[in-house]
Amino acid sequence: QVQLVESGGGLVQTGGSLRLSCAASGRSFSAVVMGWFRQAPGKERQFVAAITRNGDSTHYQDSVKGRFSISRDNAKNAVYLQMNSLNPEDTAVYSCAAGPPYCRSIDCPVQSLYNYWGQGTQVTVSS
């Protein structure tokens, strides 16, 4: 079993940056894909980014490509989301999730493949 706790959210102005962290407990962290998802008020939760278990492959939602970067440190049981050039459309609750042992670009965004979820951290971008 994996327990996930996010941190690093907050209020930032348009064009600013934030770095989200997700601390994981459990021995299987390094064996699974990790993903970040977000849910804005009144909208469905959507995929943001995913990283394979050894970090050799990353996947992003089109709207965040070139602005967000996902990384992981298996020695620290942690996954990160560096967010740059933030805009108000990025305002949401961001959650990390532990997924399958492997995914391809076509299925990394599929939420049902992720078994464990954190509570989320709020990111608010002011205009």
Side-chain angles (χ1 to χ4, degrees):
Q1 189 168 354
V2 178
Q3 293 182 324
L4 305 170
V5 179
E6 303 91 340
S7 62
L11 175 64
V12 64
Q13 291 184 333
T14 295
S17 298
L18 282 175
R19 188 190 192 217
L20 305 184
S21 298
C22 173
S25 63
R27 294 178 294 176
S28 61
F29 175 80
S30 61
V32 299
V33 169
M34 292 298 298
W36 283 98
F37 293 79
R38 68 185 181 185
Q39 187 167 20
K43 296 186 178 180
E44 294 185 353
R45 186 167 58 191
Q46 63 176 195
F47 170 76
V48 176
I51 186 167
T52 50
R53 55 191 179 184
N54 59 3
D56 63 344
S57 183
T58 57
H59 308 274
Y60 297 94
Q61 181 200 112
D62 286 346
S63 69
V64 307
K65 285 181 181 178
R67 301 188 299 123
F68 291 12
S69 178
I70 188 171
S71 61
R72 68 189 297 163
D73 186 337
N74 288 342
K76 295 182 178 179
N77 273 18
V79 62
Y80 309 99
L81 185 68
Q82 177 66 43
M83 306 186 295
N84 300 326
S85 301
L86 286 162
N87 59 63
E89 289 69 40
D90 296 315
T91 294
V93 174
Y94 285 72
S95 300
C96 64
Y102 180 75
C103 68
R104 302 163 299 168
S105 58
I106 193 172
D107 47 25
C108 288
V110 178
Q111 297 184 37
S112 60
L113 295 180
Y114 292 79
N115 300 315
Y116 301 100
W117 295 79
Q119 292 297 314
T121 185
Q122 176 70 47
V123 172
T124 303
V125 185
S126 64
S127 57

